[in-house]
Amino acid sequence: MTSVQGLVASPDADSQRTLYPYVTGTSVVGVKYKDGILLAADTGASYGSTLRYKSVERIKAIGKHSLLGASGEISDFQEILRYLDELIIYDDMWDDGNSLGPKEVHNYLNRVMYNRRNKFNPLWNSLVLGGVKNGEKYLGTVNMIGVHYEDNHVATGFGNHLARPILRDEWKEDMSFEDAVKLLEKCMLVLLYRDRSAINKMQIAKITEEGTTIYPAYSLKTFWGFSSFANPTKGAEGSW
């Protein structure tokens, strides 16, 4: 005889996965520059439509050769970091003198995101993975349904619409670190002005052949005196 318990779903059955993203971060922007890879993201996290948290770091070092930045649900990003910790520890246990490079980590993330999507249990994130190994720079992105690609510059969220045109116009392969930082700051400022979920406190991280550096967060200088900000409905009578 089948037990009643076997027929009734556990009360926790629906809480085992993210049904809807609650605490989310916005765009991540990444570029290649002369010596390596730079990633930038603000440190805000929204609780629903409320910009609730102001000091959330969304860029993390992965192993010896990679940096990972994430948009989307913060708890799912933490789950991805747990997967990657296990992957890196398992790789280190072989003690064979080799270590996973950014291309391998990106391929792993592609499979994870696509696999979870196929189970109708996606991780609600868009990821940017950059790194340097054996002098070769690598930069790629993957979203929550497994769509992925490599490029010289990538962005997630609104950044894919607002920052990429700036990057296409101004990015150069031999950019210095200082010029690349200025370009990223310009992109983040444009996003700040146009994305209600963005804040002016941002963080930059770099990775080169020598290693990884995640810089302390700092604030961008803003200007809100534009006439379009002062009177946003001019010429659009009847709108909000």
Side-chain angles (χ1 to χ4, degrees), residues 22-25 43-56 74 196-199:
Y22 277 90
V23 180
T24 59
T43 60
S46 298
Y47 181 78
S49 60
T50 302
L51 190 50
R52 172 66 178 82
Y53 305 101
K54 308 296 175 63
S55 298
V56 177
I74 300 301
R196 67 164 177 76
S197 297
I199 65 173

Side-chain angles (χ1 to χ4, degrees), residues 15-69:
S15 63
Q16 299 302 308
R17 61 190 179 90
T18 306
L19 302 177
Y20 186 83
Y22 277 90
V23 180
T24 59
T26 184
S27 306
V28 178
V29 183
V31 297
K32 293 180 181 178
Y33 74 105
K34 182 173 65 174
D35 298 322
I37 304 292
L38 275 177
L39 265 57
D42 71 18
T43 60
S46 298
Y47 181 78
S49 60
T50 302
L51 190 50
R52 172 66 178 82
Y53 305 101
K54 308 296 175 63
S55 298
V56 177
E57 295 187 2
R58 295 185 288 117
I59 303 175
K60 300 292 183 181
I62 306 299
K64 299 177 182 177
H65 308 288
S66 304
L67 275 174
L68 179 67

Side-chain angles (χ1 to χ4, degrees), residues 25-192:
T26 184
S27 306
V28 178
V29 183
V31 297
K32 293 180 181 178
Y33 74 105
K34 182 173 65 174
D35 298 322
I37 304 292
L38 275 177
L39 265 57
D42 71 18
T43 60
S46 298
Y47 181 78
S49 60
T50 302
L51 190 50
R52 172 66 178 82
Y53 305 101
K54 308 296 175 63
S55 298
V56 177
E57 295 187 2
R58 295 185 288 117
I59 303 175
K60 300 292 183 181
I62 306 299
K64 299 177 182 177
H65 308 288
S66 304
L67 275 174
L68 179 67
S71 299
E73 170 60 45
I74 300 301
S75 64
D76 282 353
F77 179 43
Q78 293 169 339
E79 179 76 351
I80 290 168
L81 292 176
R82 188 177 68 81
Y83 292 164
L84 290 171
D85 281 343
E86 292 177 358
L87 179 72
I88 297 301
I89 290 170
Y90 181 76
D91 181 58
D92 287 345
M93 285 171 59
W94 286 96
D95 195 23
D96 58 0
N98 193 19
S99 55
L100 293 173
K103 186 171 184 177
E104 291 77 37
V105 176
H106 188 219
N107 287 336
Y108 172 80
L109 290 171
N110 297 341
R111 296 301 91 210
V112 168
M113 303 301 275
Y114 186 65
N115 178 55
R116 291 287 295 258
R117 172 255 192 184
N118 284 344
K119 292 180 177 180
F120 296 92
N121 184 15
L123 293 159
W124 292 71
N125 298 103
S126 291
L127 306 172
V128 173
L129 193 288
V132 181
K133 184 178 180 183
N134 299 328
E136 183 178 346
K137 293 175 281 190
Y138 184 94
L139 183 63
T141 182
V142 57
N143 69 10
M144 64 180 287
I145 62 173
V147 176
H148 59 276
Y149 59 89
E150 304 170 45
D151 208 339
N152 293 318
H153 46 75
V154 299
T156 66
F158 269 119
N160 207 29
H161 305 284
L162 300 176
R164 290 299 296 281
I166 298 171
L167 295 170
R168 291 187 188 106
D169 285 343
E170 302 186 21
W171 177 85
K172 297 179 180 61
E173 190 170 359
D174 60 346
M175 293 184 79
S176 67
F177 173 77
E178 292 76 14
D179 289 341
V181 168
K182 288 179 182 177
L183 181 57
L184 286 177
E185 288 179 343
K186 180 176 181 178
C187 291
M188 298 304 290
L189 200 57
V190 167
L191 290 168
L192 170 67

